[in-house]
Amino acid sequence: MLDFFTIFSKGGIVLWCFQGTGVTESFTGPVNALIRSVILQERSGNNSYTHDALSLKYKLDNEFELVFVVGFQKILTLTYVDKFIDDVQLHFRDRYKNELEQKGALTLLNSCFAFEDDFKMLLCEAEESSKARGPTSMRSFNASLKSQKTVKSMIETKGGDKGKEQGGKKNKNAKKEAPAVEPVKGEQAKAPASAQKTVENGNQGLTQEDIIQKKREEFIRKRMWAPAEKPSKSPKPAKEKPKGKEKRVWTLGGSSTKELDYSQRNGNGAHATGDHVLDAQADPGMQLSSMKGDLLAVDYESSEEEEEDAVERVVVADTSKKIPKKGAFGGMFGMLKGLVGSKSLSQEDMEPVLDKMRDHLIAKNVAAEIASQLCDSVAKKLEGKVMGTFTTVASTVKGALQDSLVQILQPKRRVDILRDVLEARSQRRPFVITFCGVNGVGKSTNLAKISFWLIENGFTVLIAACDTFRAGAVEQLRTHQRRLNSLHPPQDDGERPVVQLYEKGYGKDAAGIAMEAIAYARNQAFDVVLVDTAGRMQDNTPLMTALAKLIAVNMPDLVLFVGEALVGNEAVDQLVKFNQALADHSMSDKPRLIDGIVLTKFDTIDDKVGAAISMTYITGQPIVFVGTGQTYNDLRSLNARAVVGALMKA
């Protein structure tokens, strides 16, 4: 039933392994994939992993730094595997405790772990116990509660229609019997209507003639005093003619609108000779610094003292709740017991601290699901681990969580665009980057920033305007193209501009425009093609299909998802559905998915940087660029430790 079972150390030394009968394929591939994708990427919150046709279950022994892995066909449903792997772990620990306590690679290599007989015994016991339990048989109708009910009881308890009829009858009977129960009310009900009206109007004790005389007097008084009462109302003022809307005069606006018309003049008041001169001189803020070479890393100032204070606050909060006051010595020894090491961490010890950490991550914009998975991964990583001397649980958990976050943000592969562009240039083809994302996240703006960075490093850029849906999208890119060319004017009169725009207007097929732009760039020897696509929500199936078609047809070198740093749980939904749409609508066996992330609006979130964790954790892809402002210089690369420092700041 089992394909393989292996026990190895976290240093990579295989202590013992078992391979099932009839299994010829090596299990090194699935185990290596588990190590790369789960253990090294701090995704051990879930103890299962699927690789091709195999399902892998694993368990970490943090005290002796061991990993237990079992593999079986994923079409099988083996209910005993979880308990079986726990039994193997305990049995192996107990039997070879002395060898495992002598830590060191050489000791493990020289030790002999003859565990096959014990393993087969445990496997037989697990299989027999699963057969003994077996599937629960369905109860017969006579044994169910429904068979004991009568038809009458089922009708009465269903819906309450009959109860309404009975209730209605009871109410009618109650109304009929009311006069007998309350004779006083019944007599009042039988009294004539005229008597009731006289009582209500305060005319009790008057004769019929007196009542008529009184009504006449009231009628005459109303007729006489009615005209006199009207002037008591305040007279309406005479209608004045509505005044026209007054023109607002701005303090620095000038007296004439002609002074505000800069369409034919540059900043010095003289007529402009061209678009380049207009853009270069009209905006003094366009004088930007150089961006040659690699991008600067995004920085966040976080002092270690603040982090230590945050840890101490968590520790004090935990110890004050847990340690009861038992006199001076009792409190002192209780506190020391919580601090002194040489103690194995258990799930109960870490649970209060992990709950606080989880809430802290959610408050910093980490998606709730991702925060829970991270804390579960840290718990699995620390469970059974022996703490150091005078080390608190809070500081241990925080250190492990911080290491996990840094590991997540550090990419599995480094995306070096400058090197890749040079390699593509040597092959005489353009390097193609496609930008995708939801509406309003800043795709076109950050595309212009990346264009400026590439121009600064000596590359020529062709921008493909494939957003044929949003009004003004082409004009926005044309404005960026004009400004970028004004910042890098051609040296000679005959030299072409460093940035060009390839556009076919609106309402056209985006995939076709991208294909034509790439062919044009190849013929004209452009170094980079930046493909701008329309913003689309992840639930819009037609637009997601069109995006998948664009990527599948043109096969760009890099697919960048542009997401804003303001999102929380929405980041998970966006990335999962974008990747799913690209996979579903692809025409190849190995579909192109998102290769990297551009994180925008990073300057607006202070220390709530959790979106970076959520996006990287979901895709496993690196954050290539970080947008930190509105000028062409505001483009950075990600500094994992700075982001984690901001995230862990209280």
Side-chain angles (χ1 to χ4, degrees):
M1 299 291 281
L2 299 182
D3 283 25
F4 68 87
F5 194 106
T6 179
I7 304 171
F8 57 91
S9 68
K10 289 186 178 180
I13 300 173
V14 179
L15 306 183
W16 182 84
C17 64
F18 162 82
Q19 198 157 5
T21 55
V23 179
T24 56
E25 296 181 0
S26 175
F27 57 84
T28 54
V31 174
N32 287 333
L34 171 71
I35 295 171
R36 284 193 304 267
S37 302
V38 179
I39 298 176
L40 293 181
Q41 291 296 316
E42 303 294 340
R43 300 170 189 268
S44 54
N46 187 9
N47 65 342
S48 61
Y49 175 72
T50 302
H51 178 77
D52 295 337
L54 288 177
S55 181
L56 278 68
K57 295 265 188 178
Y58 63 93
K59 186 168 181 66
L60 303 179
D61 189 327
N62 297 300
E63 184 177 354
F64 296 116
E65 301 291 327
L66 300 179
V67 183
F68 298 79
V69 182
V70 60
F72 54 92
Q73 296 294 320
K74 66 180 180 181
I75 60 173
L76 302 176
T77 304
L78 304 181
T79 57
Y80 61 85
V81 172
D82 291 328
K83 185 178 181 304
F84 172 65
I85 197 171
D86 290 340
D87 294 341
V88 171
Q89 180 208 8
L90 295 175
H91 204 84
F92 190 84
R93 281 166 48 101
D94 294 341
R95 180 167 178 177
Y96 300 106
K97 187 175 182 180
N98 296 329
E99 289 86 348
L100 296 173
E101 284 179 345
Q102 298 175 3
K103 294 185 178 179
L106 188 61
T107 306
L108 294 177
L109 286 172
N110 293 331
S111 301
C112 179
F113 300 95
F115 192 64
E116 187 170 357
D117 295 336
D118 296 341
F119 176 80
K120 289 183 178 179
M121 179 192 69
L122 292 172
L123 181 60
C124 292
E125 290 178 359
E127 290 178 348
E128 289 297 328
S129 63
S130 65
K131 291 178 182 178
R133 286 197 301 269
T136 56
S137 59
M138 186 182 296
R139 289 185 301 174
S140 63
F141 177 74
N142 294 328
S144 64
L145 295 174
K146 191 173 182 180
S147 64
Q148 301 174 8
K149 293 183 179 180
T150 61
V151 177
K152 184 178 179 181
S153 65
M154 286 190 285
I155 293 174
E156 287 179 352
T157 56
K158 185 179 178 181
D161 295 335
K162 190 172 180 182
K164 287 183 180 178
E165 294 177 1
Q166 293 176 354
K169 291 179 181 179
K170 288 180 181 179
N171 291 336
K172 291 178 182 178
N173 295 334
K175 288 181 180 178
K176 289 180 181 179
E177 295 172 358
V181 177
E182 298 179 0
V184 179
K185 293 182 180 179
E187 291 174 2
Q188 289 178 358
K190 291 179 182 178
S194 61
Q196 289 181 359
K197 288 180 181 178
T198 55
V199 171
E200 290 173 2
N201 295 330
N203 296 330
Q204 188 175 8
L206 297 177
T207 61
Q208 190 69 22
E209 295 178 358
D210 295 338
I211 294 171
I212 294 172
Q213 184 65 27
K214 186 176 180 181
K215 287 184 177 180
R216 284 178 181 174
E217 291 175 357
E218 290 177 359
F219 177 73
I220 293 170
R221 186 167 56 253
K222 287 180 181 179
R223 297 284 293 178
M224 293 293 292
W225 288 95
E229 290 176 357
K230 287 182 181 178
S232 63
K233 297 180 180 179
S234 59
K236 293 182 179 179
K239 291 184 178 180
E240 297 181 1
K241 293 182 179 180
K243 294 182 179 180
K245 185 177 180 181
E246 295 181 0
K247 182 186 290 187
R248 178 175 294 180
V249 180
W250 298 98
T251 307
L252 302 176
S255 58
S256 174
T257 56
K258 293 182 180 179
E259 297 179 5
L260 302 176
D261 185 7
Y262 290 93
S263 60
Q264 301 298 328
R265 295 177 297 168
N266 57 23
N268 298 326
H271 288 276
T273 57
D275 290 337
H276 304 311
V277 180
L278 167 67
D279 287 325
Q281 297 182 0
D283 191 358
M286 295 293 290
Q287 305 300 327
L288 303 172
S289 59
S290 176
M291 292 182 68
K292 289 184 180 179
D294 292 333
L295 291 171
L296 297 174
V298 64
D299 194 13
Y300 180 84
E301 296 180 0
S302 176
S303 62
E304 295 181 358
E305 295 179 359
E306 292 179 353
E307 296 178 4
E308 293 298 328
D309 291 342
V311 174
E312 292 300 325
R313 282 197 292 271
V314 175
V315 173
V316 170
D318 292 338
T319 53
S320 62
K321 290 181 181 178
K322 286 188 173 183
I323 300 173
K325 295 182 179 179
K326 299 181 180 178
F329 291 101
M332 178 69 70
F333 287 117
M335 185 174 65
L336 289 175
K337 185 179 178 182
L339 291 174
V340 175
S342 301
K343 172 191 173 185
S344 303
L345 279 175
S346 64
Q347 187 72 29
E348 291 76 15
D349 296 333
M350 295 183 288
E351 190 171 355
V353 184
L354 287 173
D355 289 342
K356 290 181 180 295
M357 291 292 181
R358 185 181 296 107
D359 295 340
H360 177 77
L361 291 176
I362 294 172
K364 290 297 181 77
N365 256 5
V366 179
E369 181 184 355
I370 305 300
S372 299
Q373 291 178 11
L374 281 170
C375 291
D376 293 343
S377 176
V378 170
K380 290 276 182 69
K381 183 179 178 181
L382 293 178
E383 189 175 5
K385 189 173 184 179
V386 178
M387 296 168 56
T389 307
F390 287 95
T391 305
T392 60
V393 177
S395 61
T396 304
V397 172
K398 181 179 180 294
L401 181 61
Q402 200 161 355
D403 293 341
S404 299
L405 294 174
V406 171
Q407 187 68 34
I408 289 169
L409 287 176
Q410 287 178 343
K412 292 183 290 186
R413 59 182 184 86
R414 185 167 182 258
V415 179
D416 193 341
I417 293 179
L418 297 180
R419 182 196 62 191
D420 295 341
V421 173
L422 289 173
E423 185 179 352
R425 180 196 274 178
S426 65
Q427 299 173 3
R428 295 186 178 182
R429 66 175 183 86
F431 186 80
V432 184
I433 304 176
T434 300
F435 296 83
C436 62
V438 300
N439 308 76
V441 293
K443 290 183 295 299
S444 302
T445 303
N446 285 274
L447 180 146
K449 293 180 187 179
I450 296 170
S451 299
F452 178 75
W453 174 61
L454 292 170
I455 295 166
E456 285 283 305
N457 286 278
F459 299 116
T460 55
V461 178
L462 179 68
I463 300 175
C466 295
D467 185 356
T468 62
F469 182 75
R470 176 173 64 91
V474 177
E475 288 76 12
Q476 181 184 5
L477 292 176
R478 187 178 290 117
T479 302
H480 282 303
Q481 175 223 357
R482 192 169 62 245
R483 292 198 168 193
L484 289 169
N485 284 326
S486 68
L487 292 170
H488 296 83
Q491 301 295 329
D492 301 327
D493 293 337
E495 189 179 357
R496 71 179 182 188
V498 291
V499 182
Q500 288 190 23
L501 177 66
Y502 190 91
E503 53 96 3
K504 291 292 183 180
Y506 296 98
K508 305 294 192 304
D509 180 33
I513 295 175
M515 182 181 292
E516 294 175 9
I518 295 170
Y520 177 79
R522 185 180 293 108
N523 295 332
Q524 298 297 322
F526 279 92
D527 297 322
V528 185
V529 178
L530 303 180
V531 181
D532 183 35
T533 62
R536 63 205 75 208
M537 295 305 294
Q538 63 270 22
D539 299 321
N540 193 326
T541 305
L543 289 179
M544 294 304 296
T545 306
L547 176 65
K549 174 188 172 185
L550 185 148
I551 293 174
V553 168
N554 296 287
M555 293 301 293
D557 297 283
L558 200 61
V559 180
L560 296 181
F561 176 84
V562 185
E564 58 185 6
L566 304 170
V567 296
N569 292 323
E570 185 70 9
V572 177
D573 190 52
Q574 289 175 5
L575 282 162
V576 168
K577 290 188 176 177
F578 263 83
N579 263 335
Q580 189 64 42
L582 295 179
D584 291 344
H585 302 292
S586 178
M587 294 175 287
S588 63
D589 296 333
K590 294 183 178 180
R592 282 297 304 277
L593 303 179
I594 292 170
D595 300 318
I597 299 167
V598 180
L599 195 62
T600 66
K601 306 178 186 178
F602 201 76
D603 55 321
T604 64
I605 56 172
D606 193 26
D607 58 351
K608 291 181 170 56
V609 295
I613 299 292
S614 301
M615 291 181 179
T616 312
Y617 192 90
I618 284 295
T619 59
Q621 301 300 336
I623 295 177
V624 185
F625 298 106
V626 178
T628 59
Q630 299 184 23
T631 66
Y632 293 137
N633 276 126
D634 295 324
L635 192 68
R636 299 285 184 271
S637 62
L638 189 73
N639 184 352
R641 295 201 174 274
V643 171
V644 172
L647 193 66
M648 300 303 292
K649 181 184 175 184

